[in-house]
Amino acid sequence: RMKLIVAALLAASASAFAPAQVGKTSTSLNAFEDELGAQPPLGFFDPLGMLTDADQERFDRLRYVELKHGRICQLAFLGQIVTRGGVHLSGSIDQAGHSFDSYPNGIAALFGDNAIP
């Protein structure tokens, strides 16, 4: 009896690792299934539906904008890390002669005692 229970548990656990049978669905997004970045198990992922009934030109434009925004975010992150490391630009930040390094780093530059006016 114990051998039967162990065998049943092993069979059940082995079936958990078997590939799931997924039916093919037909949507308007199938036009972009072969684009770079579409990969299993999701395929082409468009959770906001921005490409519903879209053409290749719209897809290319949104991809370009996404890459541009990603690069801007990377530069902003790098700027934050460099500034927190103590590296500041030389020179004045305004006509009154305040220098870049006269202001604190991070959120303190907006809300601290030495905040930017």
Side-chain angles (χ1 to χ4, degrees):
R1 180 168 167 101
M2 186 62 142
K3 289 181 183 179
L4 181 63
I5 293 173
V6 170
L9 286 174
L10 287 175
S13 64
S15 66
F17 296 103
Q21 299 296 325
V22 179
K24 289 287 185 180
T25 59
S26 177
T27 66
S28 62
L29 296 179
N30 283 342
F32 305 117
E33 282 292 327
D34 295 329
E35 291 291 337
L36 182 67
Q39 55 190 355
L42 296 177
F44 180 72
F45 187 60
D46 183 27
L48 299 178
M50 295 179 72
L51 290 171
T52 305
D53 299 329
D55 57 356
Q56 188 67 37
E57 183 180 353
R58 171 107 171 116
F59 176 83
D60 291 341
R61 169 73 180 147
L62 288 177
R63 176 160 282 184
Y64 168 77
V65 169
E66 180 181 12
L67 288 173
K68 182 176 78 169
H69 290 160
R71 290 174 181 154
I72 290 170
C73 290
Q74 290 172 1
L75 286 173
F77 177 78
L78 183 61
Q80 186 68 243
I81 295 298
V82 168
T83 308
R84 297 269 177 147
V87 178
H88 296 275
L89 297 174
S90 60
S92 298
I93 196 170
D94 58 11
Q95 297 294 332
H98 297 104
S99 64
F100 284 97
D101 58 358
S102 66
Y103 297 109
N105 297 330
I107 197 76
L110 300 175
F111 300 110
D113 292 336
N114 298 327
I116 297 171

